[in-house]
Amino acid sequence: MTASPASTEVRLDWFTTREVVPGVWLLAEPGHVCTWLVAGSDRAVLLDTGMGFLPIRPLAESLTDRPVSVVNTHYHFDHVGGNREFDEIAIHEIGAPLIAEQLPRPRLEAYLDFCARRLDFLDRFVELDAEYFGVLNADSIPRPFPADFDPAAWTIPPSRATATLGDGDRIDLGGRVLTVLHMPGHSPDGICLLEEREGLLFGADTINAGAIYAQFDDSDLDALVASTRRLADLADGIRLITTHHCEHVIAEVGLLAEIADGLESVRAGEPELVPGRDITGTPVLEACFAHFSVALPWPAEGAQ
């Protein structure tokens, strides 16, 4: 799974990156997904490997002189696309067999269709933002695919975990320790990582200042409620939250309680649910709050 000689170029025409706090870098594929590189004095971990459109390993290794391994926050395709480039991959024990499965091509095709439809509106969206709103930035403006990227050839091959993680495990990077928090709900294998010394929470897909997906076949709303309440209860020791999606990749600590409260209200059936679609075009029902939303499964035909 090592990088090929052809993948040594650092492609900042696709990725955008910055050091958010010392030793922690954002590596963003704008409009798609964010990954996070966390370095200690001995080694570094890349929290997820993105879409796999272009090699991510050369970029990560250009930012630190520490050896880089991978921690997948969960098994979904937009978080494991570059796994093939790395020799060492850790994931929650539930996710290990899931990243070893071949991803169905129709799922990738559905995502590519979403990307194409979004790009059809991009120029007008950017014009309107520049004229009226001023909310877009380098982290959030989707980019056309690179000229040398062939969507028809895009694939995410199975990968093999070289280590598995469980709740409470500690990843020692040398002077910086990440504690694994198993946070099922969005997916059964989802984890967050907490760096207690500096109060950094890497929220993965459990926390978003945007859509939180709970509509998949293996999503579990009750588990997500429990996970987000657990994070809210840790808020006093957290000063900064990173996320992997949406425009606001750095979240305020108060979002933890807002999400936990909102999800509890969703479970109780309180908010109005409105029709929507996720990034593969699948119909969902959505509960919308001030700083996030929750996507739920579309009712099965005939359900009341």
Side-chain angles (χ1 to χ4, degrees), residues 69-131:
S69 61
V70 167
V71 169
N72 289 142
T73 63
H74 59 299
Y75 77 96
H76 288 164
F77 74 88
D78 50 336
H79 295 259
V80 303
N83 276 14
R84 72 190 84 177
E85 303 173 53
F86 294 86
D87 300 304
E88 297 181 19
I89 300 168
I91 191 170
H92 189 271
E93 58 190 0
I94 294 174
L98 299 175
I99 61 171
E101 297 178 0
Q102 180 63 56
L103 186 73
R105 181 67 192 176
R107 192 174 303 173
L108 298 182
E109 295 287 355
Y111 185 74
L112 289 170
D113 180 67
F114 161 79
C115 293
R117 288 185 283 111
R118 180 174 60 183
L119 288 173
D120 286 342
F121 294 98
L122 181 59
D123 288 345
R124 185 58 179 147
F125 180 43
V126 172
E127 290 173 4
L128 290 170
D129 182 73
E131 186 171 358

Side-chain angles (χ1 to χ4, degrees), residues 176-251:
R176 170 173 269 153
V177 175
L178 302 178
T179 300
V180 176
L181 306 175
H182 183 209
M183 293 287 154
H186 170 71
S187 69
D189 64 328
I191 63 170
C192 298
L193 294 120
L194 179 61
E195 205 271 61
E196 295 181 66
R197 186 189 67 182
E198 297 186 35
L200 308 179
L201 175 67
F202 298 92
D205 280 10
T206 301
I207 298 296
N208 255 329
I212 296 174
Y213 280 180
Q215 79 276 23
F216 301 122
D217 290 343
D218 60 359
S219 296
D220 184 327
L221 180 60
D222 287 337
L224 188 58
V225 169
S227 292
T228 55
R229 178 55 63 192
R230 180 184 177 191
L231 291 176
D233 290 343
L234 296 174
D236 287 347
I238 297 169
R239 69 177 183 88
L240 184 148
I241 303 164
T242 72
T243 71
H244 285 234
H245 290 287
C246 305
E247 290 77 14
H248 306 289
V249 297
I250 304 296

Side-chain angles (χ1 to χ4, degrees), residues 7-26:
S7 66
T8 57
E9 182 183 1
V10 176
R11 294 293 297 273
L12 293 178
D13 58 336
W14 177 250
F15 297 96
T16 183
T17 185
R18 68 176 185 273
E19 191 171 17
V20 173
V21 298
V24 177
W25 293 267
L26 166 69

Side-chain angles (χ1 to χ4, degrees), residues 208-212 255 258-263 287-294:
N208 255 329
I212 296 174
L255 184 64
E258 185 179 341
I259 289 175
D261 292 344
L263 279 163
C288 298
F289 298 89
H291 300 107
F292 72 101
S293 64
V294 181

